[in-house]
Amino acid sequence: MSGEITRLLNDSENPDALNQVIDMVYQDLRRIAANYLKGTPNRTLQPTDLVHEAYGELAKKSVLQFNDRAHFFGCASLIMRHLLYKYARDMKRLKRGGDQAKVSLDEGLVGGKPMDADALLSLQCAMEKLHQLDPEKHRLVELRSFLGLSMKEIATVTDKALRTVERDWQFCRVWLSRELQRPL
């Protein structure tokens, strides 16, 4: 199925290719969206809504070129995350205004304690800084926290030794924890 997805995604002659791929991977995308939204209190955005919004963003692109299935999921996940940050920013603007709140690493990583708009925006700022500091470690956090991959799966995807991935994850947790404690 993985090869079929890549073939469809790169078939520029087939205008319906994206729809066919979405049909094939819909449950996987929904699982990713649910990971993003897990633990969010009083949310009005549901995983299905997030998947549909991401599909809308993908469908707007006139030229889509993906290396493989993992690249597609990475792009879809990134779009979902940005939509969620936009949603949080809009909710904050509508409800409160004001400065961003500090958030602990456990609260900041999806699947931890409930996150409010302030916490989500703080995490976004920290993730942007991590991306500037080290794009590979930024990707590791995305794969682990947002896609929910195991350390072994990350080692396979990134073609790194399991021990290296574990060491990098430990660094990321400490770095993000410190970054999220700093005043904004």
Side-chain angles (χ1 to χ4, degrees):
M1 182 160 111
S2 177
E4 178 69 9
I5 291 170
T6 302
R7 187 191 62 72
L8 279 169
L9 288 170
N10 294 321
D11 185 1
S12 58
E13 302 294 318
N14 184 354
D16 196 42
L18 182 60
N19 291 335
Q20 292 173 13
V21 169
I22 295 297
D23 286 343
M24 294 168 80
V25 299
Y26 183 79
Q27 291 306 317
D28 293 324
L29 292 174
R30 212 172 160 312
R31 180 185 51 82
I32 292 168
N35 278 341
Y36 275 120
L37 295 169
K38 190 185 311 179
T40 305
N42 302 322
R43 68 173 187 245
T44 56
L45 190 64
Q46 298 297 316
T48 301
D49 300 327
L50 190 55
V51 170
H52 289 219
E53 289 287 328
Y55 169 76
E57 291 296 315
L58 283 168
K60 286 180 192 177
K61 310 291 184 208
S62 59
V63 177
L64 292 174
Q65 196 71 26
F66 298 99
N67 298 335
D68 53 25
R69 185 176 196 260
H71 185 218
F72 169 77
F73 277 110
C75 291
S77 178
L78 185 61
I79 288 171
M80 282 188 226
R81 196 172 95 224
H82 285 289
L83 288 169
L84 193 56
Y85 290 139
K86 181 179 177 234
Y87 176 78
R89 187 183 63 234
D90 291 347
M91 292 303 291
K92 181 181 175 186
R93 183 178 28 228
L94 291 174
K95 287 187 176 180
R96 293 180 206 78
D99 294 330
Q100 298 174 352
K102 286 193 267 181
V103 59
S104 74
L105 179 61
D106 289 335
E107 290 177 84
L109 295 177
V110 173
K113 296 176 186 174
M115 293 177 64
D116 61 12
D118 294 336
L120 195 55
L121 292 172
S122 294
L123 178 60
Q124 170 67 8
C125 290
M127 288 295 292
E128 287 173 1
K129 287 180 184 177
L130 181 59
H131 187 266
Q132 291 172 358
L133 176 71
D134 190 332
E136 286 186 19
K137 287 190 175 60
H138 176 266
R139 183 171 184 228
L140 170 64
V141 173
E142 286 184 331
L143 293 172
R144 177 72 175 164
S145 299
F146 299 113
L147 289 179
L149 297 183
S150 70
M151 291 295 176
K152 195 172 188 178
E153 291 170 324
I154 294 169
T156 301
V157 168
T158 59
D159 197 29
K160 290 185 177 183
L162 178 59
R163 182 63 191 127
T164 301
V165 170
E166 291 170 343
R167 194 172 33 252
D168 287 350
W169 175 244
Q170 186 176 16
F171 168 85
C172 291
R173 286 183 54 90
V174 170
W175 187 89
L176 282 170
S177 179
R178 287 181 184 160
E179 192 62 32
L180 291 171
Q181 294 303 316
R182 292 182 185 187
L184 299 174

